[in-house]
């Protein structure tokens, strides 16, 4: 467990949920549910999914889940057996830890060197071979890749207050009742409704498809799911080919005139300044390609969407995620912080 998660655990003075809390939530609810080790283990996938969306970091999500299980097993066997729904208890505790971490993370990210971006998720089924059916040893394999982990959506979540984010994600994404959300956030149900509503407004204002965004908010969402997916894939593929050819005009044609680019190096590698406008972005990309020897660009799924990976010297140097509207790229995010790219290492060259 990292020091930030440990600190949050020590500072969280709230009592653990009562044994009867969350009664009826999930298939594990019932007498002696807390004494079934299998029921406890099966909750790990749900916890990882909740924590990643709340934290925007797979590393932090793993730490949250580890601390949650530590607190569970710190209870006496008698108290664990008395928990009506272990799943609800675990989610409540994980949510509270995330809330505390998000509060401290806001201060940490103010001192972060450069732009902070969410940690990108690989779709390991594309490029990891030799895995046995049903094996989920890697936490990345346990994340459900849907619109709520799209990079554009995760970036919008960063604009929310910690309480807004927790209330919005638990209610709008995971469909927890406001009574359950209130138990996590420590506010009234009415206050939690307002928090989720505020989060919803932020998503709608961003014109990013996702839970709470509604329909008809952008050209991308007005198309069918199939055609939107085809548009995204085609735009990213054309972008890759133009970049490889160092064709500025072609890149300008693929990028929206008002496109914006952000890069996250975490102070560990050069990330470059934010770029804006199709021509500025295109010239920056061509300059990078011209000075980086042996650069290979691969098409890969990034957080469930078409993306690109830049490989050099057998190491993944950059993961790029995109937001596409009407067949043009409006946003691109380049994650270069080596610590955030650890799950991507081992990607084959073909």
């Amino acid at each position: 467990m990292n020091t930030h998660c440990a600190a949050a655990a020590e500072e969280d003075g709230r009592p653990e949920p009562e044994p009867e809390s969350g009664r009826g939530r999930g298939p594990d609810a019932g007498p002696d549910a807390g004494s079934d080790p299998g029921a406890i283990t099966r909750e790990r996938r749900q916890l990882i999914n909740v924590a990643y969306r709340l934290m925007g970091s797979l590393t932090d999500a793993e730490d949250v889940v580890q601390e949650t299980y530590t607190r569970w097993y710190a209870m006496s066997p008698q108290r664990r057996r008395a928990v009506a729904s272990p799943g609800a208890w675990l989610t409540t505790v994980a949510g509270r830890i995330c809330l505390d971490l998000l509060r401290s993370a806001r201060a940490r990210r103010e001192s972060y060197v450069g732009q902070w971006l969410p940690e990108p998720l690989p779709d390991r089924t594309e490029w990891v071979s030799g895995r046995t059916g049903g094996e989920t040893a890697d936490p990345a394999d346990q994340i459900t890749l849907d619109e709520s982990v799209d990079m554009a959506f995760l970036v919008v979540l960063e604009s929310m207050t910690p309480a807004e984010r927790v209330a919005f994600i638990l209610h709008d994404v995971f469909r927890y009742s406001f009574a359950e959300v209130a138990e996590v956030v420590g506010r009234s149900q009415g206050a939690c409704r307002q928090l989720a509503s505020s989060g919803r407004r932020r998503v709608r204002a961003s014109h990013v498809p996702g839970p709470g965004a509604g329909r008809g908010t952008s050209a991308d969402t007005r198309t069918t799911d199939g055609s939107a997916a085809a548009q995204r894939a085609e735009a990213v593929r054309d972008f890759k080919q133009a970049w490889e050819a160092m064709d500025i005009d072609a890149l300008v044609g693929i990028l929206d005139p008002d496109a914006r680019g952000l890069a996250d190096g975490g102070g560990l590698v050069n990330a470059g300044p934010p770029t804006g406008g199709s021509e500025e972005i295109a010239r920056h990309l061509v300059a990078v390609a011209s000075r980086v020897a042996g650069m290979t660009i691969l098409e890969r799924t990034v957080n469930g969407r078409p993306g690109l990976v830049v490989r050099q010297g057998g190491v993944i140097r950059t993961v790029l995620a995109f937001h596409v509207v009407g067949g043009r790229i409006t946003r691109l995010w380049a994650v270069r912080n080596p610590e955030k790219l650890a799950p991507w290492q081992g990607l084959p060259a073909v």
Side-chain angles (χ1 to χ4, degrees):
M1 180 173 62
N2 69 24
T3 55
H4 299 305
C5 196
E10 291 172 359
E11 293 172 2
D12 182 6
R14 287 170 294 181
E16 304 294 11
E18 292 301 317
E20 64 272 14
S21 68
R23 185 176 301 156
R25 162 66 69 169
D28 58 348
D32 297 327
S35 63
D36 180 3
I40 306 305
T41 302
R42 286 192 295 271
E43 294 297 329
R44 181 175 178 79
R45 184 185 183 95
Q46 171 76 353
L47 295 175
I48 283 285
N49 273 277
V50 169
Y52 175 75
R53 287 160 177 81
L54 290 178
M55 300 306 302
S57 164
L58 184 59
T59 302
D60 286 347
E62 292 180 74
D63 288 336
V64 167
V65 173
Q66 179 180 334
E67 172 61 19
T68 300
Y69 277 113
T70 296
R71 295 190 188 190
W72 170 263
Y73 287 109
M75 294 193 300
S76 67
Q78 181 180 8
R79 184 171 172 81
R80 293 201 300 268
R81 284 194 297 270
V83 174
S85 176
W89 191 98
L90 292 166
T91 300
T92 298
V93 171
R96 289 177 178 178
I97 296 171
C98 287
L99 182 59
D100 292 332
L101 283 172
L102 287 169
R103 286 168 175 157
S104 62
R106 298 197 82 175
R108 296 201 311 275
R109 288 172 190 174
E110 287 177 0
S111 60
Y112 190 84
V113 179
Q115 177 70 41
W116 190 95
L117 292 175
E119 185 179 316
L121 284 175
D123 182 356
R124 298 183 71 84
T125 58
E126 287 188 346
W127 47 269
V128 174
S129 59
R131 302 292 295 274
T132 59
E135 182 182 353
T136 56
D138 193 318
D141 293 343
Q142 301 183 45
I143 304 292
T144 302
L145 298 177
D146 60 20
E147 61 189 3
S148 67
V149 296
D150 177 69
M151 184 64 75
F153 184 71
L154 291 175
V155 170
V156 174
L157 293 179
E158 288 299 313
S159 69
M160 298 182 187
T161 68
E164 280 178 349
R165 185 168 183 164
V166 172
F168 174 75
I169 290 294
L170 290 181
H171 181 266
D172 284 45
V173 176
F174 290 96
R175 302 303 179 188
Y176 282 83
S177 71
F178 282 118
E180 292 166 310
V181 174
E183 193 170 347
V184 174
V185 179
R187 302 193 190 182
S188 68
Q189 294 185 44
C192 290
R193 286 190 183 91
Q194 290 299 316
L195 288 168
S197 178
S198 177
R200 218 170 289 130
R201 285 194 298 271
R202 291 181 190 268
V203 175
R204 291 194 181 108
S206 72
H207 303 292
V208 170
R215 292 295 174 183
T217 56
S218 71
D220 202 23
T221 58
R222 285 195 295 269
T223 59
T224 65
D225 290 344
S227 63
Q231 277 189 354
R232 287 191 293 267
E234 182 178 2
V236 173
R237 188 172 297 114
D238 290 346
F239 178 94
K240 171 182 179 290
Q241 293 171 353
W243 193 11
E244 289 173 328
M246 293 192 284
D247 188 334
I248 291 178
D249 290 338
L251 283 168
V252 169
I254 298 162
L255 293 161
D256 185 86
D258 297 320
R260 293 289 181 270
L262 291 174
D264 175 356
L268 301 175
V269 297
N270 180 34
T275 51
S278 55
E279 186 165 342
E280 181 182 350
I281 293 173
R283 292 188 180 280
H284 174 74
L285 289 167
V286 169
V288 170
S290 65
R291 68 172 180 262
V292 178
M295 186 178 88
T296 303
I297 307 171
L298 305 172
E299 294 180 41
R300 287 295 182 268
T301 298
V302 180
N303 285 61
R305 304 285 192 184
L308 298 175
V309 164
V310 176
R311 182 186 179 100
Q312 183 193 29
V315 178
I316 301 302
R317 303 295 185 182
T318 307
V319 171
L320 289 120
F322 302 85
H323 185 49
V324 179
V325 176
R328 283 193 164 190
I329 294 170
T330 62
R331 296 287 186 274
L332 61 156
W333 300 276
V335 180
R336 304 201 67 237
N337 185 336
E339 294 177 350
K340 296 184 179 183
L341 299 182
W344 292 81
Q345 304 307 331
L347 179 67
V350 295

